[in-house]
Amino acid sequence: MARELHTARLTQKTCISDPAQCFHLEYVIEGLDQFAFKPGQFVSLVKEDSRGKMQTRAYSIASAPRANAFDLCVNRVEGGFFSNLLADMEEGDPIGFHGPHGLFTLRQPLTDAILIATGTGIAPMRGFIEHLFPDHGPSLSNGRKIWLVYGTRYPTELYYREFFERKAAEHEDFEYITTLSRAKEDWTGQRGYVQEHVARIATEHLSSQSQDMPTAAEGAPGFNIHAYICGLNDMVSANRERLTSLGWDKKQIIFERYD
Ligand SMILES: Cc1cc2nc3c(=O)[nH]c(=O)nc-3n(C[C@H](O)[C@H](O)[C@H](O)COP(=O)(O)OP(=O)(O)OC[C@H]3O[C@@H](n4cnc5c(N)ncnc54)[C@H](O)[C@@H]3O)c2cc1C
């Protein structure tokens, strides 16, 4: 069956990091009143290149469902076709897409969760946090503890920093941890790779829990914590290995690889 192709129009473009050439892009979909998707899913954008070949690239949705709109977070890749095309779009320009797609979504019933991202892997995490802790209305976290561990090289690459800091200040069940791998001396925050901080959280979580595992939904294993990892493959693998070495089951680890 042919995939239904939609047209999205760029309504707002914001450069969220000039050094990293990263853009927050907001789109509305023509001919739709509602765009139904689960936070964390992606869309497949399509565009013909100069040789007439149809190019398709996946981009995680960086927002929670909102009428007929969705946001993306895209950084330029040197020599890349689609990332530069998106970064060069002007407000009002159209782009074709199909979707939503993907299984990188919050498992139900919601458990405590460690969200782990590097670079633009933060996109679906923004969708999760907008969904769990909306600006208006009650929090949907249901008392579960949510950690976001975000790693980049430099502070200028901490995309959406103010948004996550505000949400963490407003909700004590949300903790935002940033860690830089190439910070200068004046950086007073955390350093090193995300997996080091993830391992600490996982270990502390284990020791804070009683021996009795709660029973989850019927037929499902009683996991009381999940990890959601998004970014480039090396980082995803490093975190999966680290968590499994701590005794985590593979089913507790949900991931999206960008490469
Ligand atoms: C499920 C999924 C979701 C994704 N979500 C996002 C998102 O939210 N934001 C986002 O910016 N990207 C995201 N990506 C990556 C995106 O699909 C493209 O791969 C990326 O934008 C590069 O495409 P391009 O056409 O510019 O580069 P291409 O023309 O495809 O490649 C040009 C060169 O860059 C290299 N390259 C390709 N991708 C990357 C990369 N990510 N980093 C470094 N080098 C690369 C290639 O090996 C090649 O040498 C996602 C990928 C997947 C699979």
Side-chain angles (χ1 to χ4, degrees):
M1 199 174 79
R3 285 170 158 157
E4 193 180 354
L5 202 62
H6 300 284
T7 300
R9 213 164 270 280
L10 183 64
T11 54
Q12 199 168 327
K13 173 181 177 183
T14 313
C15 180
I16 55 174
S17 171
D18 190 49
Q21 280 294 290
C22 185
F23 297 85
H24 174 74
L25 305 169
E26 298 189 10
Y27 294 89
V28 294
I29 304 164
E30 293 187 345
L32 281 189
D33 292 331
Q34 287 290 329
F35 181 47
F37 65 90
K38 290 185 179 166
Q41 288 192 292
F42 66 87
V43 286
S44 291
L45 303 191
V46 292
K47 182 82 180 178
E48 207 173 271
D49 68 16
S50 56
R51 286 182 288 182
K53 186 168 179 253
M54 203 52 94
Q55 297 284 347
T56 306
R57 299 286 187 281
Y59 290 93
S60 298
I61 301 172
S63 49
R66 179 182 82 235
N68 62 342
F70 65 85
D71 303 347
L72 300 181
C73 171
V74 177
N75 66 352
R76 288 187 192 273
V77 167
E78 206 181 324
F81 172 73
F82 231 113
S83 59
N84 290 297
L85 184 145
L86 294 174
D88 289 335
M89 275 179 81
E90 306 274 352
E91 289 174 8
D93 285 351
I95 188 79
F97 80 94
H98 54 79
H101 301 298
L103 301 172
F104 189 72
T105 58
L106 294 169
R107 298 298 182 259
Q108 299 297 336
L110 187 72
T111 62
D112 290 348
I114 314 177
L115 314 181
I116 307 161
T118 52
T120 53
I122 200 67
M125 309 309 181
R126 184 175 185 271
F128 289 155
I129 297 304
E130 266 195 357
H131 166 74
L132 292 172
F133 304 107
D135 280 347
H136 307 288
S139 152
L140 302 180
S141 63
N142 217 6
R144 305 294 180 217
K145 175 87 189 191
I146 310 292
W147 293 266
L148 169 59
V149 185
Y150 187 28
T152 62
R153 293 170 304 173
Y154 308 107
T156 49
E157 294 170 340
L158 291 171
Y159 311 142
Y160 306 114
R161 184 176 177 179
E162 282 171 21
F163 166 79
F164 290 118
E165 284 179 347
R166 176 169 62 82
K167 291 292 177 190
E170 289 169 356
H171 301 275
E172 60 182 31
D173 42 355
F174 173 50
E175 198 171 323
Y176 174 56
I177 300 138
T178 55
T179 179
L180 302 185
S181 59
R182 295 195 201 163
K184 292 191 180 143
E185 290 86 57
D186 60 353
W187 173 254
T188 54
Q190 309 270 13
R191 289 169 184 270
Y193 292 116
V194 279
Q195 55 268 30
E196 303 308 323
H197 304 284
V198 169
R200 176 181 53 76
I201 294 165
T203 306
E204 286 172 8
H205 186 271
L206 186 64
S207 60
S208 73
Q209 300 295 301
S210 75
Q211 295 299 323
D212 301 323
M213 295 288 268
T215 27
E218 214 179 304
F223 301 128
N224 58 1
I225 187 166
H226 286 85
Y228 298 84
I229 317 172
C230 186
L232 295 177
N233 189 34
D234 286 351
M235 182 281 289
V236 172
S237 300
N239 281 282
R240 291 177 71 204
E241 280 162 24
R242 196 62 185 263
L243 287 169
T244 46
S245 77
L246 291 172
W248 282 45
D249 189 282
K250 277 187 189 160
K251 290 200 189 86
Q252 286 175 273
I253 309 170
I254 299 105
F255 57 94
E256 187 84 281
R257 287 187 290 226
Y258 279 2
D259 59 340

